[in-house]
Amino acid sequence: MKKLLCLVLATMLLCAAGSAEGFGLKERRPAAGDVSLGGEPAATEAPADGDAAEENAENAQQTLDDLLGGLASGGSAEESAAQQPSGMVTDPRLVDIANMDDMQLNELASRISRELERRAMEEAGVSLGEGTVVVDQDGVRVTLYEATVQFGDGALRIGATVENGSDRDLSLDVVLAEINGLSVLGYGVYSVYAGETVTDYILFDAEGDEEVAAALAAPESLRFTIWAYDNGTGETYFTADITL
């Protein structure tokens, strides 16, 4: 009898153990999905019912979608940056002046000065009025403005507009200049990009020569040549002789 009772008891314990394993109540090893992103295994849980399992699946899918969306938007930003034109700067901090050569720095300084002057004229309500077109060839038009002529400190300055309708980045230098028959140093308008219109000025400087300075203060005749050249190659684009 005692043996029979022990046999019945052992059979009941085996059945109970089998039932517990079947219903998932027995401790199990964490699966790969139970490991958190921080590396700690997730707490052991009983399997969720149908609704809870479906909710967990939806949450997992949403997390995956968010991760993939973040990667896609990051890639799009990188692609957009890569597709920007090489000359386009959207962040001033990207202008690395320490690695620019003297020519690039001078060009940058000239463009900054030109833009500041244009804004100052705009704020002051200065109108250039009617001008005289002194060059109109090869897609380039140069206009000088009598109302902007300035004398002083041994220099003569004349306001100018340069319309560069060519497909080249150009500089328009003033060379072979003469004031009242005396040689004088001239400065033109530099680094005008293809398709760009700039408002600037040309300048004639006596460089300390009193006779030339006197001529600049009372000009009777002014002759010079505009030498337009390609910024990249230095190749002459055209020359134009001007007499005022």
Side-chain angles (χ1 to χ4, degrees):
M1 177 64 71
K2 188 174 182 178
K3 291 182 178 180
L4 180 60
L5 289 174
C6 288
L7 180 60
V8 171
L9 181 59
T11 302
M12 292 176 64
L13 288 174
L14 288 174
C15 291
S19 298
E21 183 175 4
F23 283 95
L25 298 178
K26 189 175 181 180
E27 184 178 358
R28 59 186 175 86
R29 180 185 305 171
D34 296 326
V35 180
S36 66
L37 294 178
E40 296 294 332
T44 302
E45 299 179 2
D49 57 18
D51 293 339
E54 184 177 351
E55 182 179 354
N56 288 339
E58 291 177 355
N59 291 338
Q61 184 62 45
Q62 182 63 46
T63 301
L64 181 59
D65 291 342
D66 291 343
L67 287 172
L68 292 177
L71 291 174
S73 59
S76 298
E78 292 177 0
E79 290 174 2
S80 297
Q83 291 173 357
Q84 285 186 350
S86 59
M88 182 178 291
V89 177
T90 56
D91 188 338
R93 292 170 295 180
L94 297 179
V95 180
D96 187 4
I97 61 175
N99 290 324
M100 290 183 177
D101 58 30
D102 290 349
M103 183 177 295
Q104 291 172 322
L105 285 173
N106 286 330
E107 178 179 335
L108 179 61
S110 175
R111 295 181 66 80
I112 291 174
S113 176
R114 178 188 298 161
E115 177 60 20
L116 288 174
E117 183 159 345
R118 185 196 65 78
R119 294 184 184 186
M121 291 176 63
E122 187 177 75
E123 291 177 2
V126 176
S127 175
L128 295 178
E130 294 296 327
T132 301
V133 177
V134 294
V135 174
D136 190 0
Q137 65 181 79
D138 300 315
V140 177
R141 180 193 295 261
V142 179
T143 306
L144 301 183
Y145 300 90
E146 183 178 354
T148 63
V149 175
Q150 298 178 17
F151 309 95
D153 299 325
L156 170 64
R157 170 173 156 169
I158 306 175
T161 297
V162 178
E163 303 168 70
N164 183 6
S166 74
D167 59 356
R168 302 191 188 189
D169 298 338
L170 300 174
S171 286
L172 283 71
D173 204 358
V174 171
V175 298
L176 303 176
E178 294 182 357
I179 181 73
N180 297 353
L182 300 174
S183 294
V184 61
L185 184 64
Y187 296 92
V189 181
Y190 306 95
S191 301
V192 183
Y193 292 166
E196 182 182 30
T197 296
V198 301
T199 298
D200 205 329
Y201 58 86
I202 60 175
L203 180 70
F204 302 90
D205 193 342
E207 292 193 307
D209 188 309
E210 293 183 2
E211 186 178 7
V212 174
L216 289 173
E220 297 176 1
S221 65
L222 177 61
R223 301 176 60 184
F224 58 93
T225 296
I226 291 182
W227 170 41
Y229 61 87
D230 189 300
N231 278 356
T233 65
E235 177 185 359
T236 297
Y237 188 58
F238 67 78
T239 60
D241 296 325
I242 312 298
T243 300
L244 298 176

